[in-house]
Amino acid sequence: MAEPSALSSPPPRTEAPGDVPATTPAGQPSVDRSGIGDALRALELDTRLVGMIGALAVIWIGFDVLTGGAFLTPRNLWNLSVQAASVGVMATGMVLVIVTRNIDLSVGSILGFTGMVVGVLQARLLPELWGFDHPLTWAAAVAAGIAVGGMVGALQGAIVAYLGVSSFIVTLGGLLVWRGAAWWVTTGQTVAPMDGLFKRLGGGFEGAIGAGPSWLVGVAAIVLAVAALLLTRRRRAGFGFPVRPLWAEAVVILLVAAAIVGSVLVVNAYPLPLPVVRRMVEARGLSTDGPLPLIAHGFAIPVLIALAVGVAVTFLASRTRFGRYVFAIGGNPEAAELSGINTRRVLVMVFGLMGALCGLSACIATARLNAATNANGTLDELYVIAAAIIGGTSLAGGVGTIHGAMLGALVMQSLQSGMVLLGVDAPMQNIVVGVVLVAAVYIDTLYRKGVK
């Protein structure tokens, strides 16, 4: 049977004796919205995701009006994306932790501890081995940060899984222990500067890929997105599940492509500072007497890292046995264990992954500051948990999306960035973040009741 078109006329409606006539107060016939509803259902858009995008649009427009047009500028949006990268990376792991009905309050402290380890390694230890600015220094530092963070996370996960201590208590203790350990590494001293190649992980004009490579990344992203959508459609059709109409599939593809192209246009609209361009021109042996060329930043490396992590964790959560086990444990831990799932090992792996992502975020944050400080990562646990909850991860477990958490990280960073532009004091910023977190949990409660 052919699928009904969303543009076809709806069938005539017969009114029951108690029905209210479909007229406006002025006596004019009302607009039948059944066609619009059918179109929205055919698109199969996630209502929570659409609501988050709408809320983000309201935040951006509101701050842009209040700041006199200073918010929605390529420069601010580029900096906003860089600032959200570190929290976004950790938020992907926090989704899996909360899905298993656990919590990790120590992510900020793990970031601070691993950041100090990474800083000492590349500023003091590795130079004694092979000198400063060695091409392998940045890779060794990143690998060490991920390894140290993974071991810390796995240790906490083992205590939760095998000793039966509540994750709230374990990670609350970890918040204190690893913050103190961060101070102990250098007795509170700041370690700087970082390796030249390592600094690119933090963004800045040295950590941007430029206009041409950004377009290549954009085209590759569109191709991958289209391939993923078509593959999903083919798999659903192969198993006999309903699929979108072709027009709806085309609309979704156009929306995804438009979002990617828009992102590339924004990052390419932010030019490098003129002094930097002048140095680049002089380094090439060219004259700087005439007008200098406009060289775009393009995508920042930490943003690309965060996006790559989001794609990888999404694949891990939705296309692997480990991901199915994680959501099974969150849905019903007892049933998951009775079905043969090694729930303890899965929990250790989840917390280990969370710690490894904290180590990667520590590399991004340390490179961005060009220094390892004892205060790095302070209150990041609040922003990470808030990002996951705002993104639709339920504290009751079993429900959560990676892309929602990353969008939640962008929402949280947008609030902070907008308040900084408005000159709001730090205590008031914390108040706003706390209120938003409570409101997000309340909205999640209402949504879950509505679904039931």
Side-chain angles (χ1 to χ4, degrees):
M1 182 181 294
E3 296 175 338
S5 171
L7 300 179
S8 60
S9 301
R13 178 178 182 270
T14 57
E15 297 178 356
D19 287 347
V20 179
T23 57
T24 61
Q28 299 297 327
S30 63
V31 179
D32 190 346
R33 303 184 184 275
S34 60
I36 299 176
D38 291 340
L40 293 177
R41 284 189 292 271
L43 291 173
E44 297 182 359
L45 297 178
D46 185 353
T47 55
R48 299 194 66 165
L49 180 63
V50 173
M52 286 183 60
I53 295 175
L56 183 63
V58 171
I59 292 172
W60 283 10
I61 295 174
F63 277 128
D64 192 61
V65 172
L66 294 175
T67 58
F71 190 89
L72 290 179
T73 60
R75 175 182 180 181
N76 187 65
L77 294 179
W78 192 90
N79 290 326
L80 177 63
S81 66
V82 173
Q83 294 163 0
S86 177
V87 173
V89 168
M90 291 189 290
T92 61
M94 186 61 72
V95 170
L96 302 184
V97 172
I98 298 179
V99 162
T100 59
R101 302 188 181 187
N102 289 286
I103 198 71
D104 193 340
L105 303 176
S106 65
V107 292
S109 297
I110 295 177
L111 185 151
F113 171 66
T114 54
M116 293 298 291
V117 172
V118 167
V120 170
L121 184 66
Q122 64 182 298
R124 299 182 182 177
L125 301 182
L126 291 181
E128 297 179 359
L129 178 63
W130 53 42
F132 289 96
D133 290 331
H134 192 277
L136 293 180
T137 297
W138 74 272
V142 172
I146 294 175
V148 171
M151 288 187 292
V152 170
L155 173 62
Q156 295 186 153
I159 296 174
V160 173
Y162 291 98
L163 299 184
V165 183
S166 168
S167 62
F168 181 90
I169 299 301
V170 172
T171 58
L172 179 61
L175 184 151
L176 301 174
V177 169
W178 304 119
R179 181 60 62 187
W183 182 92
W184 178 76
V185 172
T186 61
T187 61
Q189 298 177 7
T190 297
V191 180
M194 300 293 103
D195 176 75
L197 294 177
F198 181 83
K199 288 192 298 183
R200 298 182 180 181
L201 300 178
F205 66 89
E206 295 179 341
I209 64 175
S214 295
W215 279 114
L216 293 178
V217 170
V219 172
I222 292 175
V223 172
L224 291 176
V226 172
L229 289 172
L230 295 181
L231 179 61
T232 301
R233 177 184 179 87
R234 181 179 178 182
R235 288 171 59 90
R236 293 178 64 176
F239 285 105
F241 295 146
V243 297
R244 297 189 187 99
L246 290 178
W247 69 265
E249 202 76 57
V251 169
V252 172
I253 291 174
L254 288 176
L255 290 175
V256 172
I260 295 174
V261 171
S263 301
V264 176
L265 291 175
V266 169
V267 297
N268 284 347
Y270 178 32
L272 294 176
L274 291 180
V276 175
V277 176
R278 181 175 288 106
R279 290 198 300 269
M280 294 174 63
V281 173
E282 292 174 349
R284 297 176 183 176
L286 302 177
S287 175
T288 58
D289 295 336
L292 296 174
L294 293 178
I295 302 178
H297 276 78
F299 283 114
I301 291 178
V303 175
L304 296 179
I305 294 174
L307 294 176
V309 169
V311 173
V313 179
T314 298
F315 178 83
L316 184 68
S318 60
R319 299 296 183 186
T320 66
R321 181 180 299 177
F322 169 76
R324 292 192 292 271
Y325 287 174
V326 168
F327 281 87
I329 292 173
N332 192 324
E334 293 79 10
E337 188 168 3
L338 291 175
S339 65
I341 298 176
N342 191 335
T343 57
R344 294 180 177 179
R345 184 177 65 181
V346 172
L347 286 180
V348 173
M349 294 173 64
V350 168
F351 277 92
L353 176 62
M354 181 74 257
L357 293 175
C358 289
L360 180 58
S361 294
C363 295
I364 295 175
T366 304
R368 181 166 166 261
L369 293 176
N370 193 25
T373 66
N374 185 49
N376 199 9
T378 303
L379 292 183
D380 272 10
E381 56 276 352
L382 172 62
Y383 287 93
V384 173
I385 294 173
I389 299 300
I390 291 175
T393 305
S394 174
L395 289 173
V399 177
T401 59
I402 306 303
H403 60 270
M406 299 192 73
L407 189 57
L410 187 59
V411 170
M412 297 302 299
Q413 191 59 52
S414 297
L415 288 172
Q416 186 179 28
S417 177
M419 288 186 289
V420 168
L421 289 177
L422 292 175
V424 178
D425 295 334
M428 181 56 66
Q429 295 180 29
N430 294 334
I431 292 175
V432 172
V433 171
V435 171
V436 170
L437 178 58
V438 174
V441 174
Y442 176 68
I443 293 174
D444 173 72
T445 303
L446 294 181
Y447 180 82
R448 291 174 59 240
K449 288 182 178 178
V451 170
K452 292 178 181 180

